[in-house]
Amino acid sequence: SSHAGKDVNEKVLITTKLALSLSYTDIQEVWSMIQENIPHDAAHKANAEHVFLDLLTIASTNPCVKYICEMVKNQVIIGEPAAWIVANMIKSVKTPTEELIQELTTLLKHSTVQSVPGLKATVAMSLSELVHRACIDETSSVFNYPVGIFGKFCSKDSKVIKKD
């Protein structure tokens, strides 16, 4: 029914808002709880992991990005799911700080990403689009990110862009 759909949407919204407030340590703890408390049925555990990772990509805060980058580097997330998760995460970044762009650049250069052509292409394209939207394009950099609160996050002259 539409009421049930509304309840699910509301729960996803509430859970996503919660994910926005998680620190890196909190994220690690939730992942550990999923690993320890979900029955060892592979399908249930995989679903729980994917739902949690999807929530992190929607939130896409700096701790979420750092955690997902580590999961990819450590090959916890592999193959096509890794490409989808990373693409969604980068597309949803809320605060494209120079540190976050450096984290994503480090991910792109990592041997795990470099050794998988599809993942490498996905990270490279997604990162390029983010840098263009957040640092180079004067319109999107102002209207797509909370620069009124935090100031401009990066520019075409940022070290991380010129260096890497």
Side-chain angles (χ1 to χ4, degrees):
S1 81
S2 66
H3 182 68
K6 184 178 177 187
D7 288 345
V8 169
N9 289 341
E10 186 176 334
K11 288 177 183 175
V12 169
L13 182 61
I14 290 167
T15 309
T16 302
K17 284 183 179 180
L18 176 64
L20 288 167
S21 67
L22 295 176
S23 70
Y24 186 83
T25 303
D26 294 335
I27 294 167
Q28 289 175 310
E29 289 174 8
V30 172
W31 185 263
S32 292
M33 289 190 320
I34 291 169
Q35 300 307 305
E36 295 166 8
N37 297 321
I38 301 294
H40 289 347
D41 173 341
H44 284 98
K45 183 167 277 200
N47 283 339
E49 291 171 351
H50 286 211
V51 167
F52 182 63
L53 292 170
D54 283 344
L55 287 171
L56 294 182
T57 66
I58 292 167
S60 223
T61 61
N62 292 21
C64 294
V65 169
K66 181 177 180 178
Y67 190 76
I68 291 173
C69 287
E70 290 301 316
M71 298 288 275
V72 171
K73 290 182 211 172
N74 293 325
Q75 299 182 351
V76 176
I77 311 169
I78 58 172
E80 193 172 320
W84 279 102
I85 288 167
V86 169
N88 288 334
M89 171 190 72
I90 294 173
K91 182 179 69 167
S92 301
V93 162
K94 310 287 186 276
T95 54
T97 62
E98 290 186 23
E99 294 81 14
L100 184 130
I101 292 169
Q102 182 61 58
E103 182 79 39
L104 294 171
T105 302
T106 301
L107 175 66
L108 176 60
K109 293 177 177 181
H110 194 273
S111 59
T112 299
V113 172
Q114 290 293 311
S115 65
V116 182
L119 181 57
K120 177 181 172 184
T122 298
V123 175
M125 181 60 92
S126 299
L127 179 55
S128 296
E129 288 175 9
L130 174 64
V131 166
H132 185 266
R133 275 194 329 266
C135 308
I136 297 169
D137 185 282
E138 291 296 325
T139 303
S140 65
S141 66
V142 171
F143 290 108
N144 293 345
Y145 303 101
V147 296
I149 298 169
F150 297 108
K152 198 149 190 264
F153 292 101
C154 56
S155 73
K156 64 181 191 264
D157 298 319
S158 295
K159 274 189 220 175
V160 68
I161 295 169
K162 288 188 166 217
K163 180 180 77 163
D164 295 321

